[in-house]
mmCIF file of all heavy atoms in Angstrom:
data_model
loop_
_atom_site.group_PDB
_atom_site.id
_atom_site.type_symbol
_atom_site.label_atom_id
_atom_site.label_comp_id
_atom_site.label_asym_id
_atom_site.label_seq_id
_atom_site.Cartn_x
_atom_site.Cartn_y
_atom_site.Cartn_z
ATOM 1 N N ALA K 799 -10.305 37.387 33.486
ATOM 2 C CA ALA K 799 -10.495 36.060 33.013
ATOM 3 C C ALA K 799 -10.885 35.170 34.271
ATOM 4 O O ALA K 799 -10.374 35.507 35.286
ATOM 5 C CB ALA K 799 -9.444 35.547 32.188
ATOM 6 N N CYS K 816 0.980 33.641 30.588
ATOM 7 C CA CYS K 816 0.540 35.040 30.999
ATOM 8 C C CYS K 816 1.776 35.849 31.338
ATOM 9 O O CYS K 816 2.545 35.498 32.213
ATOM 10 C CB CYS K 816 -0.398 34.993 32.138
ATOM 11 S SG CYS K 816 -0.937 36.608 32.682
ATOM 12 N N PHE K 818 1.611 38.692 32.609
ATOM 13 C CA PHE K 818 1.308 39.633 33.716
ATOM 14 C C PHE K 818 1.234 38.860 35.133
ATOM 15 O O PHE K 818 0.806 39.425 36.035
ATOM 16 C CB PHE K 818 -0.034 40.276 33.464
ATOM 17 C CG PHE K 818 -0.049 40.949 32.128
ATOM 18 C CD1 PHE K 818 -0.712 40.402 31.141
ATOM 19 C CD2 PHE K 818 0.736 42.111 31.929
ATOM 20 C CE1 PHE K 818 -0.738 40.972 29.790
ATOM 21 C CE2 PHE K 818 0.683 42.682 30.642
ATOM 22 C CZ PHE K 818 -0.104 42.100 29.638
ATOM 23 N N ALA K 820 -0.717 36.833 36.248
ATOM 24 C CA ALA K 820 -2.019 36.709 36.907
ATOM 25 C C ALA K 820 -2.322 35.315 37.333
ATOM 26 O O ALA K 820 -2.799 35.143 38.464
ATOM 27 C CB ALA K 820 -3.056 37.319 35.984
ATOM 28 N N PRO K 821 -2.238 34.298 36.533
ATOM 29 C CA PRO K 821 -2.695 33.006 36.974
ATOM 30 C C PRO K 821 -1.678 32.322 37.921
ATOM 31 O O PRO K 821 -0.437 32.520 37.655
ATOM 32 C CB PRO K 821 -2.838 32.165 35.657
ATOM 33 C CG PRO K 821 -2.715 33.084 34.458
ATOM 34 C CD PRO K 821 -1.912 34.225 35.085
ATOM 35 N N ILE K 831 -6.994 32.974 38.784
ATOM 36 C CA ILE K 831 -6.477 34.171 38.114
ATOM 37 C C ILE K 831 -6.744 35.436 38.947
ATOM 38 O O ILE K 831 -7.768 35.641 39.512
ATOM 39 C CB ILE K 831 -7.197 34.348 36.706
ATOM 40 C CG1 ILE K 831 -6.677 33.261 35.784
ATOM 41 C CG2 ILE K 831 -6.835 35.743 36.143
ATOM 42 C CD1 ILE K 831 -7.296 33.225 34.507
ATOM 43 N N LEU K 835 -4.209 41.561 38.547
ATOM 44 C CA LEU K 835 -3.178 41.502 37.573
ATOM 45 C C LEU K 835 -3.650 41.195 36.173
ATOM 46 O O LEU K 835 -2.925 41.506 35.181
ATOM 47 C CB LEU K 835 -2.125 40.395 38.019
ATOM 48 C CG LEU K 835 -1.321 40.744 39.253
ATOM 49 C CD1 LEU K 835 -0.492 39.610 39.668
ATOM 50 C CD2 LEU K 835 -0.535 42.029 39.088
ATOM 51 N N CYS K 836 -4.799 40.552 36.087
ATOM 52 C CA CYS K 836 -5.180 40.181 34.717
ATOM 53 C C CYS K 836 -5.618 41.402 33.873
ATOM 54 O O CYS K 836 -6.289 42.310 34.378
ATOM 55 C CB CYS K 836 -6.443 39.293 34.787
ATOM 56 S SG CYS K 836 -7.112 38.896 33.204
ATOM 57 N N GLN K 837 -5.032 41.466 32.688
ATOM 58 C CA GLN K 837 -5.408 42.560 31.801
ATOM 59 C C GLN K 837 -6.382 42.187 30.722
ATOM 60 O O GLN K 837 -6.533 42.942 29.757
ATOM 61 C CB GLN K 837 -4.087 43.126 31.245
ATOM 62 C CG GLN K 837 -3.230 43.561 32.296
ATOM 63 C CD GLN K 837 -2.245 44.632 31.781
ATOM 64 O OE1 GLN K 837 -2.412 45.218 30.747
ATOM 65 N NE2 GLN K 837 -1.217 44.923 32.583
ATOM 66 N N SER K 838 -7.056 41.087 30.928
ATOM 67 C CA SER K 838 -7.990 40.527 29.932
ATOM 68 C C SER K 838 -7.572 40.610 28.458
ATOM 69 O O SER K 838 -8.153 41.248 27.708
ATOM 70 C CB SER K 838 -9.373 41.131 30.126
ATOM 71 O OG SER K 838 -9.291 42.568 30.292
ATOM 72 N N CYS K 839 -6.426 39.970 28.203
ATOM 73 C CA CYS K 839 -5.962 39.887 26.819
ATOM 74 C C CYS K 839 -6.581 38.787 26.108
ATOM 75 O O CYS K 839 -6.627 38.695 24.968
ATOM 76 C CB CYS K 839 -4.414 39.775 26.774
ATOM 77 S SG CYS K 839 -3.775 38.388 27.520
ATOM 78 N N GLY K 840 -6.883 37.682 26.911
ATOM 79 C CA GLY K 840 -7.577 36.519 26.297
ATOM 80 C C GLY K 840 -6.677 35.424 25.814
ATOM 81 O O GLY K 840 -7.026 34.512 25.289
ATOM 82 N N LEU K 841 -5.366 35.642 25.993
ATOM 83 C CA LEU K 841 -4.380 34.674 25.539
ATOM 84 C C LEU K 841 -4.588 33.304 26.223
ATOM 85 O O LEU K 841 -4.678 32.262 25.675
ATOM 86 C CB LEU K 841 -3.010 35.076 25.836
ATOM 87 C CG LEU K 841 -1.835 34.304 25.235
ATOM 88 C CD1 LEU K 841 -1.914 34.265 23.750
ATOM 89 C CD2 LEU K 841 -0.479 34.924 25.614
ATOM 90 N N CYS K 842 -4.823 33.347 27.551
ATOM 91 C CA CYS K 842 -4.903 32.042 28.209
ATOM 92 C C CYS K 842 -6.353 31.415 27.928
ATOM 93 O O CYS K 842 -6.444 30.176 27.887
ATOM 94 C CB CYS K 842 -4.808 32.243 29.733
ATOM 95 S SG CYS K 842 -5.976 33.362 30.448
ATOM 96 N N VAL K 843 -7.309 32.225 27.679
ATOM 97 C CA VAL K 843 -8.651 31.739 27.283
ATOM 98 C C VAL K 843 -8.454 30.913 26.018
ATOM 99 O O VAL K 843 -9.050 29.788 25.869
ATOM 100 C CB VAL K 843 -9.595 32.870 26.951
ATOM 101 C CG1 VAL K 843 -10.881 32.287 26.631
ATOM 102 C CG2 VAL K 843 -9.635 33.801 28.165
ATOM 103 N N PHE K 853 -13.826 34.525 29.626
ATOM 104 C CA PHE K 853 -14.068 35.850 30.299
ATOM 105 C C PHE K 853 -15.166 36.588 29.528
ATOM 106 O O PHE K 853 -15.342 36.350 28.340
ATOM 107 C CB PHE K 853 -12.831 36.640 30.505
ATOM 108 C CG PHE K 853 -12.236 37.448 29.447
ATOM 109 C CD1 PHE K 853 -12.665 38.622 29.136
ATOM 110 C CD2 PHE K 853 -11.053 36.918 28.816
ATOM 111 C CE1 PHE K 853 -12.032 39.451 28.148
ATOM 112 C CE2 PHE K 853 -10.404 37.719 27.833
ATOM 113 C CZ PHE K 853 -10.846 38.979 27.513
HETATM 114 S S1 SF4 N 291 -6.510 37.005 30.030
HETATM 115 FE FE1 SF4 N 291 -4.341 37.635 29.586
HETATM 116 S S2 SF4 N 291 -3.814 38.840 31.353
HETATM 117 FE FE2 SF4 N 291 -5.621 37.654 32.020
HETATM 118 S S3 SF4 N 291 -4.726 35.842 32.956
HETATM 119 FE FE3 SF4 N 291 -5.186 35.295 30.771
HETATM 120 S S4 SF4 N 291 -3.200 35.664 29.706
HETATM 121 FE FE4 SF4 N 291 -3.099 36.711 31.705
#
Side-chain angles (χ1 to χ4, degrees):
Chain K
C816 179
F818 309 105
I831 292 175
L835 293 174
C836 176
Q837 303 210 8
S838 46
C839 66
L841 189 61
C842 62
V843 183
F853 85 80

